[in-house]
């Protein structure tokens, strides 16, 4: 056996073999093949070099990459390579023409390709009358088949009509059929011409019947469908064909799973009846239609909702107290109200729970209080954010009339919690707003009303859902933006803010540890002294809550983490003197003394949505004609307070020893920094009067005094709101004495004892009391 540089010299009865995965080549048929396996490529190169035939045969298992002799069929087709090309991936594409059948007699080893000794299988030359009759029948059926299949070239029909040899006619027709590979291999191995013709006729007749039925269904369906439903026509044809052949499955498994889920959901009887009707409608639909997916999603929502009420867990009040004490420092009145709420729930589990609404500045622990209630009740907790919601459908759900419809936020929260008696927090209820799409606050009226929410109807579900066992807890920063009907359905619990001592305790107990863990530090890696924490609270933050304080502590921890990452053995101790190097210079300072060192400057107390604050009221006079100039973005109420204060100063000019003529020769300018922040409200009258009195009497206001209250033209000091927030703001700013309307002294009950003892509270009945307490000597 001689070997050249590119090919082997093979005897005539030994041919290279190319196994094919899912292709059967018949004699007299042209067929393209793609060859990429190394042995197959070597076999193709061998026959191309020698211009010899190649053996094409089917491998039994298409998943085998390197088939052996046991994985190959024993009968194949000897073929000639008509054309071939090679692509960039070394993959050969060749066009083969079948010559004759062969049978493998013996596999030959020792070549880089599969090779075998073969024996050719010649067709019988003697043709019987039955063979001729079968050939005539096959030719007619083949012509009928080609007329039903669009797109076949006309030359193929001429070739079939001109083919006279029955064996050749059977092979060409078999190659046209979209039969299984195993059926085609069976036809290839049929050596009896009559049996082969009968089998091809059988397969061809089945395909013709399928094509006829398809054509009938197409014509029948076409009459019933409109032009806009043509896409649906193809899917309906496929379904009808599968049904006639008994090959369709109609999503039985999916329908069965939904039916089991409906049974397990425990819906009320009338609701389950309606849902099962929808399931029957789904079963009759095509899975390819758009409505199918919409209805399927609806049924999934219905089965996922917790219709059954879980068993109530007994409430342990001592454990609830421990949870509240462990999670929150201070807030004694709030925690006492929560314990009372839990006690009522324990005594009357089936009773209707009141809707609590926690109102306070950001960062005072409103959301965490709701989580603590859920832990104490051992119920699921879910938070529904209402900030920015302006569409009623966000609360009641969208109607199922279009793709993308969803239930409202309430039902989505119930599904997320997985329990019908969950604790649901309606966060930022004051951020709801009405729009052209409706008022979501109106939808809240039904949700929060214990008399109505037992039959709450979501537009998407279309059936009532019982919300009576849900414990609703709302949060808000201010109540001014909450509609009165909604406010009437809630019990308001104020969380005004923390004192400096409370912030210190919370930082030591919770914030330092939380930030230490968040930054990957161990207990001994970084510590802050009490003095450093006090400076952080007083000079780097000025807020009612704790968020900025936690951020500043986090900055200290990150600074420590950077140093410890370089030296793992290092321990960082942050003291007062280290804060400026870590955080920069202090952001806030007690500037009351410097701002009130001149006559005409008074310190007022203001309420803001994020807690109380101090503001300075500055007055000066210039030559003019008695005009009042107001700056600082004052609202209408503050402008009227300023005018009333000036009028009252003029009225009391003799009492204050102010020459009456001075008001005619000067203009008064009243300014409230900062000018970029809008300001309004009724509580600045006393401070404006004192600032004007200080200006005209040339007596500075004491730098230890801050004040609040409205005035009347009779000189009376009228009560105002937000006393607790304002007193806490005065204490944070370093004020020593606070002037309050006498009728507001009852509101000091809400102020912590530590703050009351640190301040001197001076009640005001008239503006004379304010002048006497606030103004110093010249």
């Amino acid at each position: 056996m001689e070997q050249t540089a590119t090919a082997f010299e093979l005897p005539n009865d030994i041919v290279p073999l190319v196994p094919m995965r899912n292709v059967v080549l018949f004699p007299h048929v042209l067929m393209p093949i793609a060859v990429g396996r190394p042995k197959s490529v070597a076999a193709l190169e061998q026959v191309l070099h020698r211009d010899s035939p190649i053996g094409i045969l089917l491998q039994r298992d298409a998943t085998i990459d390197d088939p052996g002799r046991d994985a190959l069929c024993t009968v194949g087709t000897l073929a000639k390579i008509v054309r071939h090309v090679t692509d960039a991936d070394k993959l050969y594409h060749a066009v083969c023409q079948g010559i004759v059948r062969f049978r493998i007699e013996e596999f030959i080893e020792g070549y880089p390709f599969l090779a075998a000794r073969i024996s050719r299988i010649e067709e019988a030359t003697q043709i019987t009358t039955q063979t001729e009759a079968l050939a005539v029948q096959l030719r007619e059926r083949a012509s009928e088949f080609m007329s039903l299949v669009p797109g076949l070239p006309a030359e193929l029909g001429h070739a079939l009509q001109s083919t006279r040899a029955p064996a050749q006619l059977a092979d060409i027709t078999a190659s046209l059929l979209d039969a299984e590979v195993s059926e085609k291999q069976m036809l290839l191995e049929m050596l009896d011409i009559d049996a082969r013709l009968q089998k091809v006729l059988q397969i061809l007749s089945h395909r013709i019947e399928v094509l006829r039925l398809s054509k009938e269904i197409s014509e029948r369906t076409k009459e019933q469908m409109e032009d806009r439903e043509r896409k649906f026509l193809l899917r309906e044809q496929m379904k009808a064909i599968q049904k006639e052949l008994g090959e369709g499955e109609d999503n039985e498994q999916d329908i069965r799973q939904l039916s089991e889920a409906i049974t397990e959901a425990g819906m009320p009887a009338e609701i389950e009846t309606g849902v099962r009707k929808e399931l029957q409608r789904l079963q009759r639909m095509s899975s390819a239609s758009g409505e199918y997916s919409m209805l399927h999603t609806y049924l999934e929502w219905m089965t996922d909702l917790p219709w059954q009420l879980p068993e109530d867990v007994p409430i342990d009040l001592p454990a609830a107290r421990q949870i509240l004490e462990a999670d929150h420092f201070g807030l004694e009145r709030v925690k006492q109200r929560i314990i009372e709420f839990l006690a009522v729930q324990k005594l009357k589990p089936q009773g209707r729970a009141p809707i609590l609404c926690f109102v306070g500045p950001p960062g005072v622990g409103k959301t965490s209080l709701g989580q603590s209630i859920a832990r104490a009740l051992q119920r699921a907790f879910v938070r529904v954010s209402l900030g920015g919601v302006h569409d009623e459908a966000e609360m009641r759900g969208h109607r199922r009339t279009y793709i993308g419809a969803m239930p409202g936020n309430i039902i989505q929260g119930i599904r997320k919690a997985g329990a019908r008696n969950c604790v649901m927090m309606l966060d930022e209820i004051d951020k709801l707003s009405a729009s052209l799409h409706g008022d979501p606050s109106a939808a809240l009226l039904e949700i929060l009303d214990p008399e109505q929410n037992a039959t709450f109807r979501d537009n998407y579900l279309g059936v009532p859902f019982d919300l009576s066992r849900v414990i609703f807890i709302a949060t808000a920063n201010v109540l001014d933006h909450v509609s009165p009907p909604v406010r009437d359905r809630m019990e308001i619990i104020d969380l005004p803010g923390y004192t400096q001592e409370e912030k210190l305790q919370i930082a030591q107990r919770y914030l330092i540890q939380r930030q230490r863990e968040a930054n990957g530090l161990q207990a001994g890696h970084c510590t802050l002294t009490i003095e450093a924490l006090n400076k952080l609270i007083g000079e780097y933050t000025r807020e009612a809550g704790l968020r900025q304080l936690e951020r500043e502590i986090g900055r200290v921890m990150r600074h420590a983490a950077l140093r410890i990452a370089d030296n793992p053995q290092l321990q960082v101790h942050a003291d007062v003197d280290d804060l400026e190097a870590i955080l920069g210079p202090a952001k806030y300072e007690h500037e009351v003394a410097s701002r009130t060192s001149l006559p005409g400057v008074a310190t007022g107390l203001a309420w803001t949505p994020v807690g109380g604050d101090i503001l300075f009221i500055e007055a000066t006079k210039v030559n003019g004609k008695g005009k009042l100039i107001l700056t600082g973005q004052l609202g209408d109420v503050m402008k009227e307070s300023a005018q009333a204060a000036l009028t009252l100063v003029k009225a009391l000019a003799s009492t204050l020893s102010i020459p009456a003529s001075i008001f005619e020769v000067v203009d008064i300018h009243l300014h409230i920094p900062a000018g970029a922040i809008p300001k309004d409200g009724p509580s600045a009258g006393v401070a404006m009067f004192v600032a004007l009195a200080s200006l005209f009497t040339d007596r500075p206001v004491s730098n230890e005094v801050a004040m609040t209250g409205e005035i009347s033209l009779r000189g009376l000091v009228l009560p105002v709101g937000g006393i607790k927030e304002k007193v806490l703001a005065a204490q944070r700013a370093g004020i020593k004495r606070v002037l309050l309307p006498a009728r507001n002294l009852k509101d000091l009950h809400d102020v912590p004892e530590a703050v009351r003892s640190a301040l001197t509270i001076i009640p005001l009945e008239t503006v004379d009391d304010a002048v006497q307490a606030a103004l110093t000597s010249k």
Side-chain angles (χ1 to χ4, degrees), residues 166-211:
Q168 185 175 352
L169 178 64
D171 289 341
I172 295 176
T173 306
S175 67
L176 296 177
L177 299 176
D178 54 346
E180 295 289 336
V181 177
S182 58
E183 285 187 313
K184 289 191 174 183
Q185 180 64 28
M186 179 183 64
L187 291 172
L188 185 68
E189 294 177 2
M190 278 188 177
L191 305 183
D192 185 88
I193 297 179
D194 290 353
R196 193 191 312 162
L197 287 169
Q198 290 175 354
K199 186 62 178 176
V200 173
L201 268 171
Q202 180 186 349
I203 299 174
L204 187 60
S205 298
H206 178 266
R207 294 304 304 157
I208 289 174
E209 291 302 320
V210 172
L211 291 171

Side-chain angles (χ1 to χ4, degrees), residues 4 34 112 198 203 217 236 292 370 405 454 456 458 460 596 698 716 747:
T4 65
Q198 290 175 354
I203 299 174
I217 294 171
E236 196 67 23
Y292 181 93
F456 172 71
D458 186 276
Y460 181 81
T596 59
D698 201 25
L716 299 178
D747 298 320

Side-chain angles (χ1 to χ4, degrees), residues 196-251:
R196 193 191 312 162
L197 287 169
Q198 290 175 354
K199 186 62 178 176
V200 173
L201 268 171
Q202 180 186 349
I203 299 174
L204 187 60
S205 298
H206 178 266
R207 294 304 304 157
I208 289 174
E209 291 302 320
V210 172
L211 291 171
R212 275 182 186 164
L213 182 60
S214 174
K215 188 174 182 180
E216 291 175 6
I217 294 171
S218 176
E219 292 174 355
R220 184 171 65 249
T221 311
K222 203 170 193 178
E223 296 174 357
Q224 301 172 355
M225 307 295 275
E226 297 180 0
D227 291 339
R228 58 187 177 84
E229 296 173 323
R230 285 181 179 175
K231 290 184 179 180
F232 179 69
L233 169 65
L234 299 175
R235 303 187 186 101
E236 196 67 23
Q237 288 177 341
M238 185 181 300
K239 179 181 176 182
I241 291 171
Q242 290 177 345
K243 186 175 181 180
E244 290 289 338
L245 297 176
E247 298 173 355
E249 295 184 357
D250 294 332
N251 305 301

Side-chain angles (χ1 to χ4, degrees), residues 404-637:
M406 291 285 288
N409 289 336
I410 303 301
I411 295 298
Q412 290 186 39
I414 295 289
R415 182 193 188 187
K416 182 180 179 181
R420 215 183 78 198
N421 63 343
C422 64
V423 176
M424 180 175 290
M425 173 155 282
L426 304 176
D427 214 3
E428 308 290 355
I429 198 173
D430 56 328
K431 306 301 189 301
L432 292 172
S433 59
S435 69
L436 295 175
H437 302 289
D439 187 357
S441 297
L444 274 180
L445 296 179
E446 180 185 358
I447 295 169
L448 299 181
D449 192 338
E451 302 294 333
Q452 301 180 37
N453 60 14
T455 56
F456 172 71
R457 182 179 290 269
D458 186 276
N459 290 332
Y460 181 81
L461 302 183
V463 295
F465 190 87
D466 188 0
L467 300 178
S468 61
R469 300 307 304 280
V470 178
I471 296 179
F472 290 103
I473 299 174
T475 69
N477 295 132
V478 291
L479 285 176
D480 297 347
H481 302 148
V482 181
S483 65
V486 173
R487 196 184 317 168
D488 182 61
R489 282 163 169 76
M490 301 185 297
E491 179 179 346
I492 308 301
I493 299 178
D494 289 310
L495 282 76
Y498 297 104
T499 65
Q500 182 155 341
E501 289 76 14
E502 289 174 336
K503 289 183 179 180
L504 177 63
Q505 293 293 328
I506 294 171
Q508 290 178 311
R509 298 187 184 196
Y510 309 107
L511 303 185
I512 292 177
Q513 178 63 23
R514 190 157 66 193
Q515 284 300 315
R516 190 183 286 138
E517 293 174 357
N519 290 281
L521 300 177
Q522 301 297 327
H525 280 165
C526 180
T527 57
L528 280 84
T529 64
I530 294 178
E531 292 78 10
L533 284 174
N534 278 323
K535 186 171 182 178
L536 268 179
I537 296 168
E539 300 184 16
Y540 286 88
T541 66
R542 185 161 291 175
E543 58 178 348
L546 300 163
R547 289 181 181 168
Q548 184 62 30
L549 175 60
E550 185 171 5
R551 282 192 285 267
E552 298 297 334
I553 293 174
R555 291 179 62 188
V556 175
M557 293 299 172
R558 288 194 296 273
H559 173 80
L562 177 62
R563 297 177 59 187
I564 292 171
D566 294 333
N567 183 6
Q569 305 301 322
L570 185 66
Q571 292 184 344
V572 179
H573 299 280
D575 207 344
V576 175
D577 299 333
D578 304 320
L579 292 183
E580 186 166 349
I582 299 173
L583 304 178
K587 299 176 183 178
Y588 305 98
E589 60 182 6
H590 299 319
E591 55 179 353
V592 178
S594 60
R595 297 293 292 269
T596 59
S597 58
L598 296 175
V601 181
T603 304
L605 297 174
W607 179 92
T608 70
V610 294
D613 202 356
I614 64 170
L615 53 82
F616 297 101
I617 298 174
E618 302 174 349
T620 187
K621 56 182 186 291
V622 294
N623 292 333
K625 299 180 180 179
K627 292 193 302 181
L628 176 62
I629 304 170
L630 301 174
T631 56
Q633 285 209 52
L634 308 186
D636 291 339
V637 177

